[in-house]
Amino acid sequence: DVYAQTFDANNSALSEVVKLNSYTQGNQAKPKVANLKDGNFVAVWESYGQDGSLLGSFGQIFDPYGTHVGSEFQISNETLGHQHDPNVVGLNSGNFLVVFEHRIGNISEVIAQEFSALGYKIGAPISVGESYIGHFTEGEGQFNPGVGVLGDGSVAITWARPSNGSSDIVSKIMP
């Protein structure tokens, strides 16, 4: 399971420790959170077996006091292979963007999906970088996606990819 607790600017607890996930079978790990413009926050994490396959990514919106807003939601409609290692950022529009690694067999890519402040998908998922085809061992493929909002409101998405026995950090700026 994955948990969170909210605090005010003076480091006083606003909530008790709250379980983020509703689904409790398998393993839930790698939680990330982002503030939303309306004062709520969104949490995303990976969950093993919840999507009926391997690793899937899921999310939940909370108010500042840790109360669930709406229902837990699946980040990707895809269930084949792994959709894992999610990261999230709140956008200036009030929406939020989730990036995650999508891997089927020996093909890996970083995907971005925008959501409304209520957790509804906006548009289709976007493949951010080139697909990586190769033999996967720990640390290969496109992995560790990150995301942040820049001062002009555009979004920077980063990920790592294999390069000559090491890894390169790659980024893409999206308006």
Side-chain angles (χ1 to χ4, degrees), residues 18-22 60-63 66-70 72:
V18 176
K19 186 185 329 182
L20 302 176
N21 56 296
S22 300
Q60 175 69 56
I61 298 170
F62 297 87
D63 73 13
T67 303
H68 291 73
V69 175
E72 187 173 299

Side-chain angles (χ1 to χ4, degrees), residues 136-171:
F136 285 98
T137 58
E138 186 64 34
E140 291 187 347
Q142 290 185 0
F143 54 97
N144 291 336
V147 62
V149 173
L150 302 177
D152 66 359
S154 59
V155 176
I157 300 173
T158 62
W159 65 93
R161 70 174 178 206
S163 175
N164 298 321
S166 185
S167 297
D168 287 337
I169 304 299
V170 182
S171 67

Side-chain angles (χ1 to χ4, degrees), residues 21-139:
N21 56 296
S22 300
Y23 181 86
T24 58
Q25 296 177 1
N27 186 40
Q28 292 76 38
K30 298 185 179 179
K32 302 286 191 310
V33 296
N35 291 325
L36 300 177
K37 195 172 184 177
D38 63 5
N40 290 339
F41 71 94
V42 61
V44 297
W45 62 89
E46 64 183 34
S47 181
Y48 189 82
Q50 184 173 350
D51 65 1
S53 184
L54 301 169
L55 284 171
S57 291
F58 293 83
Q60 175 69 56
I61 298 170
F62 297 87
D63 73 13
Y65 302 98
T67 303
H68 291 73
V69 175
S71 299
E72 187 173 299
F73 56 90
Q74 189 169 346
I75 304 300
S76 174
N77 291 334
E78 179 66 57
T79 59
L80 185 61
H82 296 281
Q83 291 70 232
H84 65 106
D85 206 8
N87 210 322
V88 62
V89 67
L91 302 174
N92 293 343
S93 65
N95 296 336
F96 59 94
L97 186 72
V98 179
V99 295
F100 59 94
E101 179 185 342
H102 178 214
R103 181 169 36 135
I104 299 176
N106 66 345
I107 300 174
S108 176
E109 61 185 333
V110 172
I111 303 292
Q113 176 68 60
E114 186 175 354
F115 290 84
S116 74
L118 298 174
Y120 299 110
K121 289 183 175 97
I122 297 175
I126 300 166
S127 179
V128 175
E130 72 281 358
S131 292
Y132 175 84
I133 301 174
H135 175 71
F136 285 98
T137 58
E138 186 64 34

